[in-house]
Amino acid sequence: QQQVKQSPQSLIVQKGGISIINCAYENTAFDYFPWYQQFPGKGPALLIAIRPDVSEKKEGRFTISFNKSAKQFSLHIMDSQPGDSATYFCAAGSNYQLIWGAGTKLIIKP
Amino acid sequence: NAGVTQTPKFQVLKTGQSMTLQCAQDMNHNSMYWYRQDPGMGLRLIYYSASEGTTDKGEVPNGYNVSRLNKREFSLRLESAAPSQTSVYFCASSPVAGINTEAFFGQGTRLTVV
C-alpha cells in the first residue's frame, strides 16, 4: 500500500509540445502530492504540489491533474522547452513519510 | 545564500569502514531529512528529524544512524559500510514539521562502497 508507480520511465517531446507524466498511488491516507524536478548533479527541487481537495492546480506552464477516485495524478508541461529537460519525480505521502516514484527522464528536442 | 550544504560530495569506502555524512542548513528550518537515491527507485527516506533534539526512522534505516547536532546540522553515520549502501545520499530540510510542505535538498553525496 506504500507504492507510487510512475510512468513513463523516459519521454522525448518536441519543443513546444505537451509533456505528460503519470503517477498512481495506493494508500488512500496520502494527502500531499508534489512533483519534483531534478537536473544532473543537483538535488530535487519542488516544482508544484497538490492536495486531494482540488482536482487541478496550475502554475505557469505546469499543471497537476488529480483524480482521487482513481488514485492517480499527472503532470502536464505545456509548451515544453529544452530547459525543461530533466528528471521528474512524483511523490505522495502524509505527515513525515513521502513515498517517491521511480522518476521520468524527460528530453525536449529543439 | 547556501541553503542545504552536504559534505563530502564524493566518497569511496571499503566494505566495513565507517564514515559520517555531514549536512547543514542556513534557512532556520525545523525539520531535516536524509534520503538515498538509487537508479530506478526514486528517493527513499532513511531518517528524519522533525525538530531539534528528535530523530525517527524512515523507510530504510537499517545500517545507518543519525545525529541532530543542533538546529542547523544533521549527520548520517554508516558504522560498517556494505556494498548495498552504494548510493547517492541527499539531505533535505523543511521550514515546518511534516513532509507536506516544500523540502529543500542539498546537492548530494555520491558514495561507493567496494
Side-chain angles (χ1 to χ4, degrees):
Chain A
Q1 271 211 319
Q2 291 290 86
Q3 276 193 316
V4 174
K5 294 182 181 178
Q6 183 172 345
S7 63
Q9 253 185 328
S10 61
L11 181 62
I12 300 173
V13 174
Q14 289 292 131
K15 179 183 174 182
I18 302 174
S19 304
I20 301 174
I21 305 170
N22 300 298
C23 282
Y25 64 100
E26 299 172 349
N27 190 334
T28 55
F30 289 162
D31 61 2
Y32 180 64
F33 303 89
W35 284 90
Y36 278 80
Q37 180 188 55
Q38 185 179 28
F39 293 105
K42 304 290 186 182
L46 181 67
L47 191 61
I48 187 172
I50 198 168
R51 297 187 190 278
D53 52 343
V54 296
S55 60
E56 187 175 281
K57 183 175 181 180
K58 185 176 180 180
E59 289 185 1
R61 296 185 294 109
F62 302 91
T63 300
I64 297 180
S65 297
F66 184 79
N67 186 328
K68 189 175 181 178
S69 60
K71 292 186 285 185
Q72 294 175 348
F73 58 111
S74 60
L75 175 69
H76 290 64
I77 305 175
M78 312 299 287
D79 187 27
S80 300
Q81 299 297 311
D84 296 332
S85 297
T87 299
Y88 292 81
F89 292 93
C90 65
S94 61
N95 297 323
Y96 296 96
Q97 293 283 356
L98 199 60
I99 308 298
W100 293 64
T104 296
K105 186 172 184 178
L106 174 65
I107 297 172
I108 308 300
K109 284 195 154 185
Chain B
N1 199 0
V4 178
T5 302
Q6 291 182 234
T7 55
K9 287 188 170 46
F10 302 93
Q11 184 71 49
V12 178
L13 287 179
K14 293 183 179 178
T15 297
Q17 285 185 319
S18 62
M19 80 160 294
T20 299
L21 280 63
Q22 306 287 353
C23 175
Q25 52 92 8
D26 62 2
M27 297 174 283
N28 200 34
H29 286 174
N30 286 306
S31 300
M32 297 185 74
Y33 313 84
W34 275 105
Y35 284 92
R36 60 178 288 172
Q37 184 176 34
D38 301 296
M41 297 190 71
L43 277 74
R44 291 181 291 169
L45 183 65
I46 304 171
Y47 271 93
Y48 66 94
S49 170
S51 60
E52 186 179 355
T54 69
T55 60
D56 282 287
K57 295 179 181 179
E59 193 181 349
V60 289
N62 291 344
Y64 305 96
N65 284 300
V66 291
S67 295
R68 183 76 183 266
L69 305 169
N70 47 55
K71 191 172 185 180
R72 291 186 62 249
E73 297 172 288
F74 188 38
S75 63
L76 178 72
R77 182 160 178 84
L78 286 71
E79 291 291 351
S80 179
S84 61
Q85 294 178 306
T86 292
S87 187
V88 180
Y89 291 86
F90 286 100
C91 176
S93 69
S94 62
V96 296
I99 198 62
N100 49 3
T101 181
E102 181 173 3
F104 294 80
F105 285 79
Q107 293 205 337
T109 295
R110 185 174 294 274
L111 175 67
T112 303
V113 183
V114 297

